[in-house]
Amino acid sequence: MKITRIALLGMLILTPLHVAAAGAAEDLARQWCANCHAADGNSSSPLFPRLAGQQAGYIVQQLQALKNHSRSDESAHDYMWGVAATLDDNTIASIAEYFAGQKPLPNPATVAASLVDQGGMLFRNGNEAKGTPPCMACHGPNGEGSESGPRLAGQHAAYVDKQLHVFASTQRPSAVEMQAIVRTLDDKEIRALAAYIQALH
């Protein structure tokens, strides 16, 4: 979704008034999050992450990081920096709880079975020879997430692929553990993991 500077400026000017008037987290989600992430958090576009069923604490952490500009994802960060800047801590917490409570649906997009198989091995077992830990150790055996890692199951493969490459840059400096892990992965392994994660539910 392409957002013009004029449209973005209008959103940023109006957001505080709408936040104050809307009150309910569901209203906020429908007004400001639905266009990209869908009202129930099951985004259909690979450009935008799925939020349904995501760990509330993780959503809070990421919105705070966008708010203080310690997370920057190239094309997305200008818009999300502006949106997050208008949200107070209570609003961020309410939005996080709303999406955490939504039912995550299976991702209908297809992925190559061969990649899914390879990605599943890495996700479950890691690669000791390269120093790659199993993803399930932090993200749960079915990618459902835990206190130490966000939900991954059903996330768009293209988004996962992009974020794993982002971890290898300076755009998400707080994710120290992921930065180290990504350095053990090559592009083919990243694609395989992304495919397996999308296929999870």
Side-chain angles (χ1 to χ4, degrees):
M1 183 179 70
K2 186 175 182 181
I3 300 171
T4 66
R5 291 179 179 274
I6 293 175
L8 176 58
L9 180 60
M11 289 179 189
L12 299 186
I13 290 172
L14 292 174
T15 296
L17 298 178
H18 282 233
V19 167
E26 183 174 357
D27 290 338
L28 294 175
R30 290 184 181 280
Q31 287 180 16
W32 302 113
C33 310
N35 284 343
C36 298
H37 302 283
D40 66 352
N42 288 291
S43 162
S44 61
S45 170
L47 294 175
F48 309 112
R50 289 182 145 213
L51 301 179
Q54 183 56 272
Q55 305 291 323
Y58 182 76
I59 296 175
V60 168
Q61 179 189 67
Q62 296 309 304
L63 284 174
Q64 293 288 2
L66 289 161
K67 186 175 181 177
N68 64 33
H69 298 183
S70 62
R71 172 177 173 173
S72 58
D73 293 359
E74 297 179 349
S75 60
H77 79 258
D78 285 340
Y79 174 63
M80 283 305 304
W81 280 4
V83 171
T86 68
L87 305 175
D88 61 26
D89 290 350
N90 288 336
T91 302
I92 286 175
S94 295
I95 290 173
E97 289 294 337
Y98 169 77
F99 281 118
Q102 299 305 299
K103 181 179 180 180
L105 302 177
N107 195 318
T110 57
V111 286
S114 59
L115 283 177
V116 172
D117 290 342
Q118 182 186 355
M121 291 292 290
L122 270 173
F123 189 93
R124 293 187 298 271
N125 306 315
N127 186 337
E128 187 176 356
K130 295 179 66 177
T132 309
C135 307
M136 63 180 285
C138 292
H139 298 283
N142 298 304
E144 68 274 20
S146 67
E147 291 184 2
S148 57
R151 176 185 174 85
L152 298 179
Q155 192 58 266
H156 299 299
Y159 182 78
V160 174
D161 188 307
K162 176 190 171 185
Q163 290 305 309
L164 286 174
H165 282 94
V166 164
F167 284 125
S169 71
T170 60
Q171 296 177 62
R172 296 183 68 168
S174 63
V176 178
E177 290 184 12
M178 282 304 304
Q179 290 169 10
I181 291 169
V182 166
R183 294 190 188 102
T184 72
L185 301 171
D186 58 34
D187 285 349
K188 185 178 179 181
E189 290 170 326
I190 286 175
R191 288 195 299 273
L193 277 172
Y196 178 73
I197 285 166
Q198 179 175 290
L200 282 172
H201 177 61

